[in-house]
Amino acid sequence: MTTTKLKNAEFGEILHLFEVMEKHSVPCSLELKLREDADPFMSIVTQPVKTEFVERTADDGGDAMQIDLGETSLLFSVSESYGKEITESQISLCIANETYAAWFSTGEMSPEAIADAHNYIEDIEFEDEVMAVDVHSDDFEAALIWLTDRIREGRVIKNVKVLEDGNQILTVGYTNKGE
């Protein structure tokens, strides 16, 4: 039995890896396991990958990615836990929450595809978001929920400006590895 130790990954990086699979026409397999059961609930063997970023409101579960493997469509929220392993010829991914774990593995990949997989930060740029927090407002709780959702997506508070009245201006975004 081989054990694969995955590295934690962000939503954006996992989306990028699926986009690399699609771009290079790399087939992918899936094993979907329920947390309490060791046997796969569902398996899909080597199907073409298609991916799409889906913008949704917080009420709808927040932003997500849609992964199509052949005829099967799966939707994963930014709040899931993500893991990855990129070898010299293959990518293994896990998307999990308290209910299930979805394990993806590619077929053999070209060196060019593997190089693209490693270039995620350079390929994807995320814009910072600026938010005004009125601490005396009835919307203060909604502002905290918005901020919590962004942090779950892997963003960080990059700048805070406190105004004279106690209100705050927050800049929230993704950090580059070079920052």
Side-chain angles (χ1 to χ4, degrees):
M1 173 190 231
T2 302
T3 302
T4 302
K5 182 167 173 83
L6 301 178
K7 296 176 185 163
N8 287 334
E10 297 175 358
F11 173 84
E13 184 174 13
I14 298 300
L15 180 63
H16 167 77
L17 293 173
F18 279 111
E19 289 172 343
V20 167
M21 291 177 214
E22 181 178 355
K23 174 183 171 186
H24 291 276
S25 302
V26 176
C28 187
S29 298
L30 162 75
E31 276 193 5
L32 184 64
K33 296 182 177 188
L34 300 178
R35 285 293 186 144
E36 66 272 358
D37 191 3
D39 293 325
F41 174 72
M42 177 179 86
S43 295
I44 298 174
V45 179
T46 57
Q47 292 293 312
V49 176
K50 185 176 176 195
T51 188
E52 180 179 347
F53 176 76
V54 180
E55 288 188 53
R56 301 186 310 173
T57 65
D59 293 339
D60 292 332
D63 293 341
M65 71 176 125
Q66 178 177 326
I67 305 299
D68 295 333
L69 288 178
E71 300 290 320
T72 303
S73 283
L74 305 161
L75 191 67
F76 297 102
S77 170
V78 295
S79 63
E80 311 293 345
S81 295
Y82 297 96
K84 66 168 184 168
E85 170 71 21
I86 303 172
T87 68
E88 293 178 4
S89 62
Q90 184 179 26
I91 297 174
S92 297
L93 305 173
C94 182
I95 303 173
N97 64 23
E98 57 279 341
T99 308
Y100 67 83
W103 292 87
F104 296 88
S105 60
T106 66
E108 189 166 335
M109 298 176 68
S110 69
E112 295 82 17
I114 293 295
D116 278 355
H118 286 293
N119 288 331
Y120 130 84
I121 291 296
E122 296 170 17
D123 291 346
I124 297 178
E125 296 273 335
F126 294 100
E127 292 185 22
D128 292 345
E129 293 183 57
V130 177
M131 177 185 120
V133 179
D134 182 349
V135 295
H136 306 291
S137 168
D138 292 337
D139 293 334
F140 182 69
E141 186 175 336
L144 290 178
I145 291 170
W146 178 89
L147 181 59
T148 302
D149 289 344
R150 297 311 174 275
I151 290 171
R152 285 185 179 138
E153 292 173 1
R155 300 180 200 207
V156 296
I157 299 171
K158 296 174 94 172
N159 188 23
V160 177
K161 180 178 180 182
V162 180
L163 305 176
E164 290 179 12
D165 59 2
N167 292 323
Q168 300 175 9
I169 306 293
L170 304 174
T171 304
V172 180
Y174 292 97
T175 62
N176 293 329
K177 291 185 180 179
E179 285 186 33

